[in-house]
Amino acid sequence: GAVVSQHPSRVICKSGTSVKIECRSLDFQATTMFWYRQFPKKSLMLMATSNEGSKATYEQGVEKDKFLINHASLTLSTLTVTSAHPEDSSFYICSARDEGHSGYTFGSGTRLTVV
Amino acid sequence: GESVGLHLPTLSVQEGDNSIINCAYSNSASDYFIWYKQESGKGPQFIIDIRSNMDKRQGQRVTVLLNKTVKHLSLQIAATQPGDSAVYFCAENKAQAGTALIFGKGTTLSVSS
């Protein structure tokens, strides 16, 4: 089945630094990937849609300069949290859809803690 | 905005019981629905999906029911096991390329032995 690999699984960084999260589709190509954010005991909130070779589409209220998305190839999308602050601490999850099959596959998530 | 929501935040059952988890959606344009299971610290895991041209779909121990008249979705788990304990989310979208899933609020299922 379709597999999405997300790395790192957890990261701790200092305030003011930037953190990059990678999302890879391992056995399929994904022209579109999706980034979600999840707070404790809450649902997944869509942050942005990552489009291969073009700019990402951000949801209302999500700062594009804060959460930089790059989708340079058909198998890799990256989310960079720039100048991270403690309020950016959260669980970030990526997703991709294998257009050859129904259903969306999710990465295992990245636990970001900003201290 | 339009979103998918769940009726109950928690559900506690005994091992061996059948579980029913409900979800209401408001976007009448949605035509694809999925149930996901999420364990603590992990990404969502696909359980079962259904398209709007169906009202029922069965998998292994799970059944999804779709009532488009009242915009209601449910997940039935037969013979619930302790390993079924997790948070369950329904998600919806329009089945076209490039569209993201929108998630409901989630129901925490607790199964006791």
Side-chain angles (χ1 to χ4, degrees), chain A residues 32 34 36 38 41-46 49 51 59 91 93 95 97 99 102-109 111, chain B residues 32 34 36 38 41-46 49 51 89 93-106:
Chain A
T32 306
F34 309 97
Y36 293 83
Q38 187 177 31
K41 300 189 184 301
K42 297 292 184 182
S43 186
L44 284 74
M45 293 184 57
L46 179 66
T49 299
N51 304 298
E59 294 299 299
F91 193 54
I93 308 171
S95 173
R97 185 175 187 182
E99 298 296 339
S102 63
Y104 294 69
T105 304
F106 285 81
S108 55
R111 172 74 60 194
Chain B
Y32 181 52
I34 310 176
Y36 283 94
Q38 187 181 29
K42 298 183 179 179
Q45 176 187 354
F46 174 90
D49 60 359
R51 296 195 180 277
F89 294 97
N93 82 343
K94 300 177 218 179
Q96 60 190 70
T99 57
L101 290 172
I102 303 301
F103 282 78
K105 294 182 180 178

Side-chain angles (χ1 to χ4, degrees), chain A:
Chain A
V3 177
V4 170
S5 173
Q6 188 173 341
H7 179 81
S9 59
R10 51 180 75 228
V11 57
I12 301 173
C13 71
K14 293 183 178 180
S15 290
T17 62
S18 296
V19 174
K20 180 184 285 187
I21 303 170
E22 293 188 348
C23 181
R24 294 181 184 274
S25 56
L26 296 187
D27 48 2
F28 66 99
Q29 294 183 331
T31 55
T32 306
M33 293 185 178
F34 309 97
W35 288 96
Y36 293 83
R37 182 174 182 177
Q38 187 177 31
F39 290 104
K41 300 189 184 301
K42 297 292 184 182
S43 186
L44 284 74
M45 293 184 57
L46 179 66
M47 297 175 67
T49 299
S50 172
N51 304 298
E52 187 269 334
S54 64
K55 291 182 179 179
T57 304
Y58 290 82
E59 294 299 299
Q60 189 173 8
V62 178
E63 300 175 60
K64 61 182 180 181
D65 295 331
K66 173 74 167 175
F67 300 99
L68 298 179
I69 291 173
N70 183 276
H71 194 153
S73 78
L74 287 171
T75 59
L76 174 65
S77 174
T78 61
L79 169 67
T80 301
V81 183
T82 62
S83 186
H85 292 284
E87 56 264 32
D88 299 324
S89 298
S90 193
F91 193 54
Y92 294 88
I93 308 171
C94 70
S95 173
R97 185 175 187 182
D98 182 353
E99 298 296 339
H101 302 83
S102 63
Y104 294 69
T105 304
F106 285 81
S108 55
T110 297
R111 172 74 60 194
L112 171 63
T113 303
V114 184
V115 297

Side-chain angles (χ1 to χ4, degrees), chain B residues 17-95:
Chain B
D17 287 352
N18 295 331
S19 302
I20 299 176
I21 300 172
N22 296 306
C23 173
Y25 66 96
S26 58
N27 187 351
S28 58
S30 295
D31 52 13
Y32 181 52
F33 305 89
I34 310 176
W35 280 101
Y36 283 94
K37 172 186 180 181
Q38 187 181 29
E39 296 175 326
S40 181
K42 298 183 179 179
Q45 176 187 354
F46 174 90
I47 300 174
I48 191 167
D49 60 359
I50 189 168
R51 296 195 180 277
S52 59
N53 60 351
M54 303 173 69
D55 53 21
K56 181 179 180 179
R57 191 158 186 235
Q58 286 185 293
Q60 203 172 30
R61 280 202 307 122
V62 294
T63 301
V64 55
L65 298 177
L66 175 63
N67 185 330
K68 294 181 288 293
T69 303
V70 295
K71 299 192 185 75
H72 185 266
L73 192 70
S74 68
L75 175 70
Q76 299 178 0
I77 304 174
T80 314
Q81 303 167 1
D84 294 327
S85 295
V87 182
Y88 290 81
F89 294 97
C90 63
E92 51 96 8
N93 82 343
K94 300 177 218 179

